[in-house]
Amino acid sequence: MAKNDKKNEYITFTHEKGAGAFVLSDEGLSAPLYIDTGDFTGVKKAFKQCAVDIGRVTGTEPDLVFDTVPRAREIVCAGTIGKSSLIDGLAEKKKIASGMIEGRWESFIIQTVETPFPGVERALVIAGSDQRGTIFGIYDLCLRIGVSPWYFWADVPITKRRALYVLPGCYTEGEPAVRYRGIFINDEYPALTKWANENFGGFTHRFYEKVFELILRLKGNFLWPAMWGHAFYDDDPANPKTAFEYGIVIGTSHHEPMMRAHSEWQMYGDGPWNYEKNEDILKKFWETGVKRISGYESIITVGMRGDGDEPMSKEANISLLEKIVNDQRCIISESTGRESGNLPQLWAIYKEVQEYYEKGMKIPDDVTMMFCDDNWGNIRKLPLKGEQPRSGGYGMYYHFDYVGAPRNYKWVNTSQITRTWEQMNLAYKYGVDRIWIVNVGDIKPMEFPAHFFLDHAWYADRWSVCDLNDYTRRWASRQFGEEYASEIADIISRYTMYNSRRKPELLSPHVYSLVNYREAETVLADYNECRQASERIYRRLPAEYKDAYYQLVHYMVSACANLNELYVAVAKNRLYARQGRASANDMADLARKLFSKDAEYTSYYNHDLSGGKWNHIMDQTHIGYISWQQPEINRLPDVKEITLPDVADMGVAIEGSEEWWPASGCDAVLPEFDSYKRQVYYIEIFNRGKKPFRFSVETDRNWLHAKPDKGVIETEQRVRIWCDWNAVPAGKHRAHLHVTGTGKKPVAVSAAVDKPGSQGEEAVKGFIEGNGYVSLEAEHYSRAVDTDEITWKCIPSLGRTRSAMTTFPVTMSVQRPGGESPRLEYRIYVRNPGDVAVRVYLSPTLDCLNTGGLCYAVSFDSATPQIVNIHEHFSYKAWLRMVSDNINVTCSRHRIEEAGGHVLKFWMVHPGIVLQKLVVETKTISPSYLGPPESCFRE
C-alpha cells in the first residue's frame, strides 16, 4: 500500500462519482480483456487471474481474448513493452505514456485511452516496463477493485460490487525502491509441511503456485524456498519451470550455496561437507546445481558454511573461503557459458561469516553483499562509511521467525512493524537496496508483517515514521472493510507490542513480577482489554469476515492473552504454595484450564476454521520450553498441590513482597504513600486451612483507610489501603494497621506516608520522585532540542510500554553533546538528593554502524554530559539477555545536590539509538521486568 494510496485510488463503484470513467463492469457486463499471445507467460497467467477476480467481485467474469481485438466499445488490454505488439503499437502512436516507464525496473502505468483501436471507443491499458512490471500493474487493478492478496492464504472475503469504474487518467507506482524483494519459507515443520503434504502432496509446483501468486500480489519478486528436509528442484521437477513462468526469482538460503538445497547433500553428497577434504565432490555437486538453473531467473548464493547451518571452522579461514568463492564463480561461468558477473549472486554475511568480512575478506564487486540481522530483528552490520559503491550492491536478510538461541520463536506474529520500519529504514538509508528478504517461517500467521515488509521494500524512499499508524489502519480496511478499520488497527498495534515484550516461547512463571508495581496484573489487563476489544469486533463483523479476522488478528490476540494468563497462574500457584495459601490449588486448576483452552484454540484453527482448510497450520508447539529447542509436545509447567489442615489459619501478604506474615522474620512494610501520586496499595488476607474465619483490619490513624475492613475469609481477600489526603497532616508519618483473624496475635503492617506542606507542593512540577525513582516514557519530554539538520521524532507503539524517540536523518554524523546540540529534556522533581543512577531503556540496536559502540549522553541541569557506550559491556551473554527481554538497559551514575526541580537531559551522540524509557533511581528499587511504571506528573 503506497503512501499516496488515496491519490492513486482510480476505482470507483458508483456511476455518479465516475462520470466519464471507463466502465470495467456494469449491469451484468464486464469489459473484455485483450492480450498478445507473444507476451510473457506470467503476464498471461496474471491477466487470466484478473478476469477471475473481476468475476468474483461483480458476478460477471469477462472474456479473455488473445491477439484479435474484441468487438466491444470498451476493452481492457495489458502487455509488456518490447514483448507485446499491441502495447508497442499504442506507444508508437503516443496513445500511452510509455516514457514514464520505458527502461525502468518493474514499473507500470494504468491509463485510460480514447480510440485505441479501430472500432474501440476506449481502453483501459495496463503497460509494464518488463514482465513483472506488467504483472504488478494487473494485480494493482485486482487489489483496488477489492481482491486482497490474502484471499487464499487468509480467506479474506471479496466484497461484491454491482459496478466497477476506472477514473480517467494515468496511474503509476513508479519503480520499487529495492530491486529484489522476497520471503524465505523456513522452519516449516511441523505446521506448513504437514499442511502442504495434506493439500498438495508436499512442496510441489501446485503448492508453489499459491506462493508465487501471493508474492506477486504483494509486489515481491524473490523466494528462498522451503528447505527443512525439502529441496525445491528435487521435490518436484516442475517447481523451477513454474517459478520462471510466474516471473519469480529463485535463490537458496544463506547456507545453501550454488542453488543446491541442504537436504540434497544429505541425499546425494558423498563424504564430508568440507572443502579442504572433499573439494572435487563438492565442485561436482555445485556444478549440478548451477547447470539446472540455465534459462531461469536466479540469484546464486556463494560462499560456504558448515554442514547444517553451522560455522565452517572455529577460526575465520579467509584464504579458504576466498578460494571457495573464486572456484564457485568459475563453476558458474563454465556451467552456464556466461560471464559469472552477468548472473546475480549474493554472499550472506550471516552469524560467524561476519568475522570474515570484518577481517578484510574480499569478494568480487558484482556479488551482492547480503547483510543480516541477529535473527531477532536487530541489524548486525551496514556498509561502512566511505566504502566504494559496489556494482552488486547490498542486501539484507531479516527475520520474523527463527530457530536457535536463546529460544525458537515460530508460533505467532511477535514483530512490530514500527521496529521493522526503523531497522529497515536504517538499512535503506545506508545504501542497502539491492535485495531484501525476510524469514516468514510458515507464511501463516506472519501475514501482516510480511505484507508490510514487502510494501516497505517497494515504497521505502516514500515513507516516514508518520505513516506507520495509518498503514496499519489502511491494511485493516483492505482486509475487513472501513467500518472497524481503526479499531482493528489499534488491536494489531497493541497485541504486537505485548507479544514483543516477551515472545511467547520465552515466557515463564518468573518473567513478570507478581508483587512489584502490579506488573503481572497490568500485563494481563493489557492482554485482556485487547482480547475483549477483539471479541467485540469478532462478534460485530459480518459472517463472511469472521474466518479471515480470526486468522489475521483474533487468534493471536486470544491465544496469547490466554498463554500469558497461564504462566501468571503457574507463578501464583508456586508463590501461594510457598505461602501455604488455600488458593494455591485453585491456581493449579486455573493453569490446567488455560492449558486446555490453548488446545481448544489450536483445535478450532486446525479443524473448524474455514471448514478445516488450515489443518496442521497451528501444530507448532509453544508451551513448556526448557532449552532453546522447542518441546516435542506442549507441556504444562509444573504446578504444586498442597494439603490443607482441617482448621482455619490466617496468613497476610502485602504489596511489594513475596513474604507472608506472621511467618516472616522481617517487618511488613508497604511501599510509601505520597500526596503526589495518591497511591492505593493492598494487603491480602488468606486462608491456610479448610475452615473459614472472620477477619478485621484496624488502623491507628483516622485518615488511613482499609476496605473491606472486616469479613469472612473462605480462601482469600484483597484489602485496599489508602489515605484521605484532605485529613492527612503535612509532614512525614509512620502509620500502622493491624489484621486480626484466627485468634492469634494480630499481624502488624506499617507504611510511610508523606504529605509536604502546601508551600512545598506548589513548587513541585514535572515528573515526581516516589518510592525511590522517577520513571519517564521517552515521548513525554518537556522539550526537544532539534537543529537545522537533526530532528527528534516519536515512533508510535515501538517498544515494550508506549513508544520511542530517535533522531532523523539516520545518516547524520556523530554529535558532540553540549551547548545546543540535539537532546531531549525532561522536568523532574527529586525529593531525595544524593547519588542517583539513570537507567536508560533502549531498543536492542546493535553496533551496525561499526563505531566501536553506539553512544548517547546524559546530564542533569548544567552539568557536563556523561557519554555512555551502549555496547561497552557487550558479550554473547549480554546479547542473549537483550534479545530475550527485547531491551537494552544501560546505566550512568550522577549526583544531585539538592531536592527540588531538575532537568534531565538525554543527548544524541550517534544516530540509530532508539530511546523507550528512562528511570532515575535515588535508591535501590524493587525488581521488575518492564521497569517501574511512569511517575506522577504535575504541570
Side-chain angles (χ1 to χ4, degrees):
M1 289 176 291
K3 179 180 178 180
N4 59 347
D5 212 31
K6 288 188 180 294
K7 180 181 175 182
N8 270 4
E9 286 290 5
Y10 48 81
I11 296 293
T12 183
F13 306 110
T14 61
H15 190 268
E16 292 76 18
K17 291 184 179 179
F22 176 88
V23 182
L24 186 59
S25 185
D26 194 5
E27 297 182 350
L29 294 174
S30 295
L33 310 188
Y34 173 37
I35 193 168
D36 191 328
T37 54
D39 214 321
F40 293 100
T41 301
V43 171
K44 290 181 284 187
K45 284 179 179 289
F47 213 33
K48 180 174 176 56
Q49 189 64 55
C50 181
V52 173
D53 284 358
I54 293 170
R56 286 173 173 150
V57 173
T58 65
T60 305
E61 184 174 323
D63 293 331
L64 179 59
V65 180
F66 293 90
D67 295 334
T68 303
V69 178
R71 294 183 178 180
R73 291 174 58 247
E74 294 183 308
I75 67 172
V76 182
C77 56
T80 309
I81 292 174
K83 191 70 173 177
S84 167
S85 59
L86 70 92
I87 294 298
D88 289 347
L90 291 171
E92 287 174 11
K93 296 175 183 177
K94 302 194 182 303
K95 292 280 188 179
I96 59 173
S98 56
M100 293 175 63
I101 60 171
E102 199 162 4
R104 296 180 178 271
W105 180 260
E106 296 182 346
S107 301
F108 64 87
I109 54 171
I110 296 175
Q111 184 175 356
T112 52
V113 177
E114 302 295 326
T115 60
F117 309 106
V120 177
E121 292 181 10
R122 189 183 301 172
L124 178 67
V125 179
I126 304 170
S129 61
D130 50 28
Q131 175 183 208
R132 284 188 293 271
T134 311
I135 292 170
F136 294 148
I138 292 168
Y139 282 137
D140 191 80
L141 176 67
C142 295
L143 173 69
R144 294 176 192 278
I145 66 173
V147 180
S148 168
W150 301 101
Y151 79 92
F152 172 81
W153 283 97
D155 302 306
V156 175
I158 296 167
T159 301
K160 305 301 181 186
R161 302 288 186 179
R162 184 192 64 80
L164 299 171
Y165 304 98
V166 182
L167 300 174
C170 183
Y171 304 91
T172 183
E173 293 293 343
E175 281 188 297
V178 178
R179 176 165 292 192
Y180 295 104
R181 311 164 304 281
I183 62 173
F184 177 21
I185 300 172
N186 192 217
D187 312 326
E188 67 272 11
Y189 185 86
L192 190 65
T193 296
K194 290 184 177 180
W195 181 81
N197 288 343
E198 189 171 281
N199 290 278
F200 299 100
F203 289 96
T204 63
H205 74 282
R206 293 191 304 115
F207 165 82
Y208 278 113
E209 282 182 322
K210 299 296 186 185
V211 176
F212 299 154
E213 183 189 333
L214 173 67
I215 292 172
L216 292 169
R217 284 182 182 267
L218 295 174
K219 292 190 175 73
N221 58 13
F222 186 39
L223 175 70
W224 282 354
M227 50 74 62
W228 264 31
H230 303 114
F232 182 77
Y233 294 91
D234 201 64
D235 291 343
D236 183 347
N239 281 345
K241 180 176 183 291
T242 305
F244 180 71
E245 289 177 346
Y246 271 82
I248 294 294
V249 183
I250 297 296
T252 47
S253 73
H254 57 91
H255 73 106
E256 298 177 297
M258 302 293 278
M259 305 305 293
R260 297 303 302 258
H262 176 254
S263 63
E264 289 183 279
W265 179 254
Q266 296 172 324
M267 291 185 286
Y268 306 123
D270 183 14
W273 180 265
N274 185 307
Y275 202 71
E276 290 180 300
K277 298 178 180 178
N278 205 15
E279 178 180 331
D280 291 341
I281 297 296
L282 282 164
K283 281 182 174 179
K284 290 177 183 177
F285 178 72
W286 291 336
E287 183 180 321
T288 300
V290 176
K291 281 183 175 179
R292 69 187 177 190
I293 67 166
S294 180
Y296 297 145
E297 198 172 359
S298 309
I299 300 179
I300 302 171
T301 298
V302 297
M304 188 177 185
R305 294 192 74 218
D307 195 9
D309 201 10
E310 294 293 331
M312 189 167 65
S313 61
K314 291 183 178 179
E315 292 79 30
N317 190 337
I318 292 176
S319 60
L320 175 61
L321 192 52
E322 286 180 338
K323 172 178 168 52
I324 290 170
V325 172
N326 289 333
D327 289 351
Q328 288 171 338
R329 284 169 62 81
C330 289
I331 292 170
I332 292 169
S333 295
E334 292 167 1
S335 299
T336 62
R338 297 168 61 186
E339 287 293 327
S340 175
N342 294 330
L343 291 169
Q345 297 153 54
L346 68 84
W347 180 47
I349 307 172
Y350 182 75
K351 286 190 174 180
E352 82 292 336
V353 180
Q354 184 173 306
E355 186 182 351
Y356 291 77
Y357 167 69
E358 290 173 341
K359 289 186 175 180
M361 178 174 163
K362 303 298 182 184
I363 61 169
D365 188 66
D366 56 80
V367 175
T368 300
M369 191 88 73
M370 173 76 85
F371 294 104
C372 306
D373 69 354
D374 62 351
N375 304 303
W376 292 76
N378 309 301
I379 292 172
R380 299 179 73 199
K381 284 292 176 187
L382 289 171
L384 299 177
K385 263 193 172 182
E387 277 195 22
Q388 291 296 315
R390 300 177 54 80
S391 62
Y394 297 96
M396 182 59 65
Y397 170 37
Y398 202 72
H399 287 75
F400 296 148
D401 166 287
Y402 179 60
V403 169
R407 288 277 172 87
N408 298 354
Y409 64 96
K410 300 172 59 180
W411 175 42
V412 293
N413 174 30
T414 60
S415 298
Q416 294 178 277
I417 66 164
T418 47
R419 178 62 170 169
T420 301
W421 176 86
E422 183 269 323
Q423 286 287 281
M424 294 308 296
N425 176 66
L426 191 68
Y428 182 75
K429 297 302 185 185
Y430 276 84
V432 179
D433 62 2
R434 183 60 56 90
I435 304 171
W436 285 13
I437 192 163
V438 62
N439 187 329
V440 296
D442 299 314
I443 300 177
K444 299 180 67 63
M446 307 303 173
E447 300 98 335
F448 176 59
H451 197 148
F452 174 78
F453 185 89
L454 292 179
D455 266 350
H456 191 194
W458 184 287
Y459 300 109
D461 53 357
R462 285 182 262 172
W463 278 9
S464 77
V465 66
C466 303
D467 303 313
L468 298 177
N469 281 341
D470 189 51
Y471 177 91
T472 306
R473 191 204 62 76
R474 287 186 291 115
W475 186 86
S477 175
R478 289 280 189 199
Q479 317 314 316
F480 310 114
E482 188 64 35
E483 184 175 1
Y484 302 111
S486 295
E487 294 170 78
I488 293 171
D490 179 63
I491 291 167
I492 292 170
S493 296
R494 287 161 63 190
Y495 97 73
T496 52
M497 170 187 276
Y498 303 155
N499 277 359
S500 69
R501 286 173 172 168
R502 186 83 174 182
K503 295 185 185 295
E505 293 86 345
L506 278 155
L507 287 172
S508 78
H510 313 293
V511 172
Y512 297 118
S513 176
L514 293 178
V515 297
N516 295 323
Y517 314 120
R518 303 189 192 177
E519 182 174 67
E521 293 177 29
T522 300
V523 167
L524 294 192
D526 287 344
Y527 265 114
N528 285 326
E529 286 173 11
C530 194
R531 172 165 55 184
Q532 289 162 12
S534 186
E535 285 172 350
R536 287 194 297 270
I537 297 295
Y538 187 64
R539 288 194 301 269
R540 293 172 186 169
L541 280 171
E544 63 267 24
Y545 285 102
K546 289 185 184 295
D547 285 347
Y549 183 74
Y550 192 88
Q551 294 169 62
L552 293 171
V553 182
H554 192 53
Y555 171 78
M556 286 173 280
V557 174
S558 301
C560 291
N562 183 80
L563 185 65
N564 277 266
E565 190 175 357
L566 184 156
Y567 276 107
V568 171
V570 172
K572 286 183 175 180
N573 162 261
R574 295 178 182 180
L575 173 61
Y576 294 175
R578 292 197 302 273
Q579 296 174 340
R581 292 199 197 196
S583 56
N585 296 341
D586 295 336
M587 288 296 107
D589 289 341
L590 176 59
R592 294 186 189 101
K593 289 177 183 177
L594 295 168
F595 185 74
S596 297
K597 185 68 175 177
D598 179 87
E600 291 174 19
Y601 285 129
T602 298
S603 178
Y604 179 78
Y605 201 120
N606 281 346
H607 303 134
D608 301 309
L609 182 66
S610 300
K613 174 181 176 180
W614 299 110
N615 189 31
H616 297 299
I617 280 293
M618 277 302 138
D619 280 1
Q620 180 59 51
T621 59
H622 49 276
I623 307 176
Y625 273 76
I626 57 174
S627 69
W628 68 269
Q629 185 56 283
Q630 67 194 42
E632 288 300 311
I633 59 172
N634 287 327
R635 293 187 183 277
L636 176 68
D638 291 339
V639 293
K640 299 181 182 296
E641 298 278 355
I642 61 174
T643 302
L644 299 172
D646 291 328
V647 298
D649 186 13
M650 182 183 77
V652 176
I654 66 171
E655 185 162 0
S657 175
E658 293 189 357
E659 298 285 330
W660 71 277
W661 287 265
S664 176
C666 60
D667 293 335
V669 182
L670 284 167
E672 183 185 55
F673 292 89
D674 67 69
S675 58
Y676 305 117
K677 196 160 188 179
R678 304 196 169 201
Q679 300 92 337
V680 177
Y681 295 122
Y682 67 79
I683 64 171
E684 289 176 334
I685 306 168
F686 55 87
N687 200 342
R688 303 180 74 251
K690 293 181 179 179
K691 291 187 177 180
F693 64 87
R694 291 188 173 277
F695 79 93
S696 64
V697 182
E698 297 179 352
T699 67
D700 66 352
R701 305 293 178 102
N702 61 2
W703 42 259
L704 183 65
H705 298 282
K707 188 174 181 179
D709 59 0
K710 59 185 175 181
V712 176
I713 300 293
E714 297 281 349
T715 53
E716 62 189 27
Q717 174 70 59
R718 177 171 285 192
V719 178
R720 298 166 65 244
I721 312 295
W722 77 99
C723 297
D724 177 0
W725 291 103
N726 291 327
V728 176
K732 294 180 180 288
H733 311 278
R734 176 68 65 173
H736 300 83
L737 51 91
H738 300 277
V739 184
T740 304
T742 53
K744 296 180 180 179
K745 183 179 178 181
V747 171
V749 178
S750 66
V753 179
D754 186 9
K755 181 182 179 181
S758 58
Q759 184 176 1
E761 286 218 24
E762 290 175 2
V764 176
K765 297 188 183 302
F767 289 94
I768 305 166
E769 177 196 346
N771 281 298
Y773 68 84
V774 184
S775 180
L776 313 153
E777 292 290 345
E779 73 167 82
H780 291 155
Y781 54 85
S782 55
R783 183 181 176 219
V785 177
D786 298 332
T787 69
D788 291 340
E789 296 179 319
I790 299 171
T791 303
W792 291 95
K793 289 185 180 179
C794 177
I795 305 180
S797 303
L798 174 58
R800 305 192 308 173
T801 51
R802 189 176 181 91
S803 58
M805 296 295 298
T806 192
T807 51
F808 293 93
V810 293
T811 51
M812 284 304 299
S813 58
V814 177
Q815 301 296 298
R816 183 175 180 178
E820 290 304 306
S821 70
R823 65 188 181 276
L824 298 171
E825 296 183 353
Y826 299 85
R827 285 190 299 150
I828 67 172
Y829 188 89
V830 176
R831 298 160 59 201
N832 297 288
D835 293 331
V836 302
V838 178
R839 299 199 187 276
V840 175
Y841 291 63
L842 304 163
S843 293
T845 305
L846 301 176
D847 184 19
C848 55
L849 303 180
N850 201 42
T851 63
L854 299 178
C855 296
Y856 66 86
V858 171
S859 65
F860 285 95
D861 304 322
S862 59
T864 301
Q866 184 181 145
I867 293 177
V868 179
N869 184 332
I870 72 173
H871 302 113
E872 182 178 3
H873 303 294
F874 194 74
S875 64
Y876 180 66
K877 184 178 180 181
W879 173 82
L880 289 173
R881 181 178 64 254
M882 197 169 71
V883 297
S884 296
D885 297 348
N886 196 25
I887 205 76
N888 181 7
V889 182
T890 56
C891 183
S892 58
R893 301 195 178 275
H894 310 259
R895 184 164 183 83
I896 296 177
E897 296 294 347
E898 297 179 354
H902 297 274
V903 177
L904 170 64
K905 299 176 182 179
F906 179 87
W907 303 81
M908 175 197 170
V909 177
H910 283 107
I913 285 182
V914 180
L915 173 67
Q916 296 184 18
K917 180 174 178 171
L918 303 101
V919 178
V920 180
E921 298 177 3
T922 60
K923 66 178 183 179
T924 302
I925 65 172
S926 301
S928 64
Y929 181 76
L930 297 174
E934 190 164 40
S935 297
C936 175
F937 179 80
R938 282 194 175 185
E939 287 287 353

